[in-house]
Amino acid sequence: MKHSLPVTHLLLAGCALAPALPASAALLDDSKASLELRNFYMNRDFRQAGAPQAKAEEWAQGLLLRYESGFTEGDIGVGIDALGLLGIKLDSGGGRSGTQLLKQDRESREAQDEYGELGLTAKFKVSRTVLKLGALQPRLPSVSYNDARLLPQSFRGGHLNSQEIDGLTLDAGRLSQVNQRNSSDFEDMSASSGSAGATGIKSSKTSDAFNFAGLTYRWNDQLSGAWHYGELEDIYRQHILSLTHTLRFDDQRSLRSEVRAARARDDGSSNVDNDAYGAMLTYRQAAHSVAFAYQRMAGDTGYAYIAGSDPFLFNYVQFGDFANRDERSWQARYDYDFSALGIPGLTFMSRYISGSDIELGGGRPSGEEWERDTDIAYVFQSGPLRNLGVKWRNATIRTRHFANDLDDNRLILSYTLPLW
C-alpha cells in the first residue's frame, strides 16, 4: 500500500505545529485546535437491471485535526493553519468498494486500509485583508470544496480576501491542484462530466490553474448581491451573479428569496456552452421552514464546475446536481426543528426534486430524473455524550433513459473535541 505521507504520523505532525510557530502572544492566544472523529457508514444499492455493480457498501473511521493560529503583531501579521486527515477502513471489499469513503487501489479498485494527508497554510494579514497560501478549502460560488464523505476535498493555491470597505467583500486567487475527498494525492483539475455523459461536457485536457475573483456587497441587513468569476484554464470561463433578500416579518417569521444566473463558455479545449438560471423562496415560521426552487439549464452543455467540488446550484443535493444539458428542475423542501417540542438538537429535513427535458443526443428521447432526500439528525445536548452528532441520510434516485436508479443510505456519527 502506498501513501503520499506516512499516514500514522499525520496527526502527530499537526499537533507539533504550534510550538514551532514564531513567538507572539497574539499568535498563540488567538489560536484554536480541534479533533473531529467522524464514523461513516454508506450503502448504495443500484436498483437498475444491468448495472455494473449491484451495490457499494463501506464503513470507515475518519480523524480530522484542525489548527488555526492567530497572527503575529506588527504591520503584517503572520500565521499558519494546518489540516491533518486520516481515513481508516473498517469494512469493505468483495466488490463493494466505490462509495468514495475510502481511497481505492488504482489496479484492483479495492479500498485501501488507510489514507491521509497533512495540509499547511501560511497566512498574512494587513488591516482587514488576509492572504492565504498553501492548502485551501474555499467556499465561493465559483469554487466550493466538497465535504460530503469521510474526509473533505482540498486545494493548493493562494486566496486573497479583503473587507477593507464596510459591506464589501473582495476575493481573488489561483488554485493549482486538487486533492479529492477519497484521495491522498494532489492532481490537476478537470470539469465535471455529469451523469452518464448527460451533461455533455467534453475535454481531453486537465488544468493546473483555476483563476477566480469576486465581490459581494451587502446593501443592508436585508439585501446583498454578488458577482464571481472562475476560469479553469484551457477548459472553461464562467461568470456568476446572485441576489439575496430576506424579509423579516417578526422574530418568528421570515421570507428569503434568492436568484442566480451563470454563464460558462469554452476556454480553448472543451465544448462548454452553458447558461444556468435559478430561483429559491424559503418561508420560515418558528420551527418550520418551507422552500421551493426552480432551476434551468440552457446551451449545448450542462453546468460547468471543477470535478468533485460543490456547484453553486439550488438543486445540487445529496446525489444529483440536476444540471444536465437543457434540464429543467424544481424542488420542494421542508425542515423542522424539534426544539419547539422540547427536544433541542433534533432536526428533520425532507425534499423532492424533479428534472426533465434532458438532452441526451444521438436521437434518444429526453431524459428525466427525480430524487427524494430525508435527513434526521440529533446532537446530544448534555451528559457524557454532549456534542456527539448522529445523522441518518436517505436518498432515492430514479431516472429515465440514462444513468442508474439507486437507493442511498448514510449513517454518520461525529464528535468534535476542542483541544484548546
Side-chain angles (χ1 to χ4, degrees), residues 298-310:
D300 294 335
T301 68
Y303 193 82
Y305 59 97
I306 297 175
S309 67
D310 289 348

Side-chain angles (χ1 to χ4, degrees), residues 157-396:
H159 181 187
L160 180 72
N161 176 270
S162 179
Q163 302 180 50
E164 298 294 338
I165 302 174
D166 289 343
L168 179 64
T169 300
L170 301 175
D171 290 283
R174 181 182 178 96
L175 306 178
S176 60
Q177 288 190 310
V178 61
N179 185 9
Q180 302 293 0
R181 57 195 183 187
N182 61 330
S183 173
S184 58
D185 304 315
F186 279 90
E187 57 190 4
D188 290 349
M189 296 164 284
S190 61
S192 176
S193 57
S195 303
T199 295
I201 293 177
K202 298 177 182 178
S203 177
S204 60
K205 289 187 176 182
T206 57
S207 178
D208 62 358
F210 180 81
N211 304 306
F212 62 91
L215 58 87
T216 301
Y217 188 70
R218 189 175 185 86
W219 301 91
N220 50 50
D221 290 341
Q222 292 78 42
L223 181 64
S224 64
W227 163 82
H228 284 267
Y229 173 77
E231 176 191 8
L232 188 56
E233 284 189 3
D234 298 326
I235 299 179
Y236 72 82
R237 293 169 285 109
Q238 184 179 58
H239 295 267
I240 303 172
L241 295 173
S242 63
L243 189 66
T244 304
H245 181 265
T246 302
L247 178 63
R248 294 181 177 85
F249 302 105
D250 51 41
D251 292 341
Q252 298 292 312
R253 298 179 302 149
S254 66
L255 179 64
R256 176 186 172 92
S257 56
E258 184 175 359
V259 293
R260 299 174 184 173
R263 179 183 178 89
R265 294 294 183 266
D266 164 42
D267 192 43
S269 68
S270 75
N271 65 333
V272 172
D273 178 71
N274 172 261
D275 294 325
Y277 309 95
M280 189 170 195
L281 286 174
T282 305
Y283 176 73
R284 182 185 68 85
Q285 180 168 330
H288 304 272
S289 179
V290 179
F292 298 95
Y294 178 76
Q295 183 174 290
R296 177 180 177 180
M297 301 292 129
D300 294 335
T301 68
Y303 193 82
Y305 59 97
I306 297 175
S309 67
D310 289 348
F312 190 59
L313 297 169
F314 293 118
N315 289 348
Y316 171 67
V317 287
Q318 181 167 323
F319 177 78
D321 57 20
F322 293 82
N324 297 294
R325 179 181 175 185
D326 287 343
E327 185 166 12
R328 291 161 173 76
S329 59
W330 60 269
Q331 175 188 165
R333 171 173 173 158
Y334 173 73
D335 292 77
Y336 185 74
D337 185 342
F338 282 84
S339 59
L341 297 180
I343 314 177
L346 180 63
T347 57
F348 170 83
M349 185 281 297
S350 182
R351 64 189 166 208
Y352 178 85
I353 311 95
S354 177
S356 61
D357 299 324
I358 302 169
E359 176 58 52
L360 301 177
R364 292 183 291 173
S366 297
E368 299 177 2
E369 60 179 334
W370 62 262
E371 178 172 340
R372 182 178 60 245
D373 300 334
T374 302
D375 285 8
I376 300 176
Y378 181 68
V379 178
F380 288 85
Q381 303 294 297
S382 60
L385 297 180
R386 185 173 183 269
N387 293 329
L388 173 66
V390 181
K391 177 181 287 188
W392 171 61
R393 309 193 71 189
N394 170 266
T396 300

